[in-house]
Amino acid sequence: MHDTLIKSLSVPAAIEARRSIRDFDIAPLADSDVHEILRLASLAPSSSNTQPWRFVVVTNDDMRVKLREAGFNQRQYATAPVIIAVIADGEDMLASLEETAHPNMQNDPAALDRYINGTRSRLAKLSVEERQAWAAEQTVYAVSYLTLAAQSMGYDTSVMGGFDGAKVAALLDIPAHAKVVVMVTLGRGTEPGFPHHRHSVNRISRFIK
């Protein structure tokens, strides 16, 4: 097991440094590092602080092989020491509003009621499918936080949307109502990845002053 890495990159530096990596050193990561990356990912914003994201962390070799088959044989699965299935669970989100209510609300019963009952009423009006789609939109924020947290700690990632969701859900025992949003491979890259190639700010932005 490798020693825990020291976070050394600022947010701007991590953004500049991050690449999509497809080949990794299979050496395991320290559990404490993976835990810290997930803790930082969990600090992502979400509407009404609902936090619908859930993570399934895979380090088992046999499961890695099965996930690679479900992931259309992408090579990241073969070498990354950690595979993270990022799940959106709209039903658990709805059931856990008492847990996501901020502690400061405990001294303001009216605010606490508005948060729990108001949020639950609003989300309960949606169908399971609509609520799940809403949860998936929120979960994307946590994916961004996860990749940047990893990069800031000296680790590389690849975010993959190409996989058979039903097969992944069956392998990882994910509830039928939940959605596998993306698969993230995590580790130490053994190749540099492609440099950034993005639209300019002027191409994608319009300023109203």
Side-chain angles (χ1 to χ4, degrees):
M1 188 70 69
H2 291 256
D3 292 333
T4 298
L5 297 179
I6 297 174
K7 288 183 284 188
S8 58
L9 295 181
S10 65
V11 171
I15 291 172
E16 292 282 1
R18 193 202 165 268
R19 304 286 188 271
S20 291
I21 299 300
R22 293 165 177 80
D23 290 306
F24 294 86
D25 180 347
I26 196 64
L29 275 60
D31 289 345
S32 57
D33 283 358
V34 177
H35 188 279
E36 176 65 2
I37 289 167
L38 296 178
R39 187 191 71 81
L40 293 170
S42 75
L43 297 179
S46 58
S47 181
S48 299
N49 198 39
T50 46
Q51 306 171 54
W53 44 75
R54 306 292 182 264
F55 306 106
V56 180
V57 182
V58 176
T59 57
N60 177 273
D61 288 339
D62 291 338
M63 183 60 74
R64 188 195 328 278
V65 172
K66 295 175 182 177
L67 287 175
R68 184 176 186 181
E69 293 172 355
F72 309 134
N73 290 311
Q74 295 178 79
R75 67 181 187 270
Q76 293 96 310
Y77 291 101
T79 60
V82 178
I83 301 169
I84 302 172
V86 183
I87 316 299
D89 191 334
E91 301 313 288
D92 190 41
M93 169 193 72
L94 190 63
S96 61
L97 293 176
E98 286 80 4
E99 297 175 39
T100 55
H102 197 280
N104 286 355
M105 293 181 184
Q106 300 300 328
N107 298 322
D108 188 343
L112 185 62
D113 180 74
R114 283 195 302 273
Y115 172 75
I116 294 176
N117 294 320
T119 305
R120 179 164 286 139
S121 175
R122 174 167 55 88
L123 293 175
K125 292 176 182 178
L126 303 176
S127 67
V128 172
E129 293 75 18
E130 290 171 333
R131 192 160 48 247
Q132 193 53 53
W134 188 90
E137 292 175 358
Q138 303 298 311
T139 298
V140 171
Y141 305 143
V143 176
S144 294
Y145 269 50
L146 190 159
T147 60
L148 293 180
Q151 195 69 49
S152 75
M153 295 172 65
Y155 292 121
D156 299 294
T157 54
S158 181
V159 178
M160 298 175 292
F163 52 86
D164 185 319
K167 288 183 179 179
V168 171
L171 287 168
L172 301 181
D173 195 24
I174 294 166
H177 62 262
K179 177 180 176 59
V180 184
V181 178
V182 294
M183 303 292 288
V184 179
T185 46
L186 169 67
R188 300 174 181 82
T190 57
E191 47 110 5
F194 292 117
H196 295 301
H197 179 65
R198 301 290 192 270
H199 284 304
S200 69
V201 171
N202 289 339
R203 174 70 176 78
I204 60 174
S205 306
R206 185 162 61 94
F207 296 87
I208 300 175
K209 298 183 178 181

